Amino acid sequence: MPYIQQVAVGRLPELNVYGHDYPTRDGSAIRDYIHVMDLADGHIAALRKLFTTENIGCTAYNLGTGRGTSVLEMVTAFEKASGKKIPVKLCPRRPGDATEVYASTEKAEKELSWKAKYGVEEMCRDQWNWAKNNPWGYSGKP
Ligand SMILES: O=c1ccn([C@@H]2O[C@H](COP(=O)(O)OP(=O)(O)O[C@H]3O[C@H](CO)[C@@H](O)[C@H](O)[C@H]3O)[C@@H](O)[C@H]2O)c(=O)[nH]1
């Protein structure tokens, strides 16, 4: 996402897509992208659980949407949200990259009463809204 955003604002000429021969629906790798607001809410839900449960010990929760989106699907969604063309360069796979990663969310839903609210469309919309107003981030153009 940070790289797609940099292409959209003109800081990078194109997005390197690492891997286009994965056994996925379009050949690119699949990940579980999450809206930062959902991620923040998930942490708050975990803290709430921590402060209200005695002897909770150490427990891990997955914070994700439970849905996988491919790199090329993300590009298309960002193009739609921004109205900008995102040129891509199909590159070899990065060593060590997994084909498909998405979260199992049942435990967090059940025990934290937390579930991601936003989808890829809202993620791209809100990221573009921030990026177009802050193309060089908080620090401004160097
Ligand atoms: O310019 C880019 C950057 C990324 N990707 C692809 O986009 C996907 C997501 O990449 P990235 O944001 O680097 O995340 P992951 O590959 O999911 O790895 C992250 O998540 C892993 C599991 O949490 C951690 O182990 C890693 O350190 C962390 O970088 C992958 O398919 C990449 O190949 C591109 O195609 N072009």
Side-chain angles (χ1 to χ4, degrees):
M1 284 290 271
Y3 294 101
I4 295 178
Q5 169 185 320
Q6 287 184 51
V7 178
V9 299
R11 287 174 57 179
L12 287 177
E14 63 201 1
L15 178 77
N16 289 333
V17 174
Y18 297 123
H20 51 97
D21 56 354
Y22 284 108
T24 59
R25 43 192 178 263
D26 60 19
S28 64
I30 289 179
R31 294 291 184 275
D32 187 335
Y33 298 87
I34 186 168
H35 196 295
V36 67
M37 295 300 288
D38 275 333
L39 192 60
D41 278 346
H43 281 78
I44 291 167
L47 285 173
R48 195 167 285 131
K49 175 87 173 170
L50 181 67
F51 296 140
T52 57
T53 312
E54 279 194 37
N55 302 319
I56 188 167
C58 190
T59 304
Y61 292 98
N62 298 325
L63 300 180
T65 63
R67 284 187 301 274
T69 304
S70 77
V71 174
L72 290 174
E73 286 169 345
M74 213 53 179
V75 168
T76 302
F78 207 88
E79 284 184 333
K80 200 170 160 208
S82 65
K84 301 274 180 191
K85 179 81 191 141
I86 310 285
V88 298
K89 184 175 167 195
L90 300 179
C91 303
R93 299 178 185 191
R94 288 190 310 196
D97 262 0
T99 302
E100 185 166 5
V101 182
Y102 56 89
S104 166
T105 56
E106 290 81 9
K107 187 177 168 196
E109 280 180 36
K110 198 165 154 234
E111 297 184 18
L112 302 181
S113 305
W114 170 87
K115 194 176 185 322
K117 292 193 215 54
Y118 302 109
V120 160
E121 199 179 318
E122 290 101 342
M123 287 173 224
C124 293
R125 177 198 65 197
D126 295 345
Q127 179 146 0
W128 175 240
N129 190 35
W130 186 81
K132 74 178 179 215
N133 293 313
N134 303 276
W136 292 87
Y138 288 113
S139 52
K141 194 169 180 175

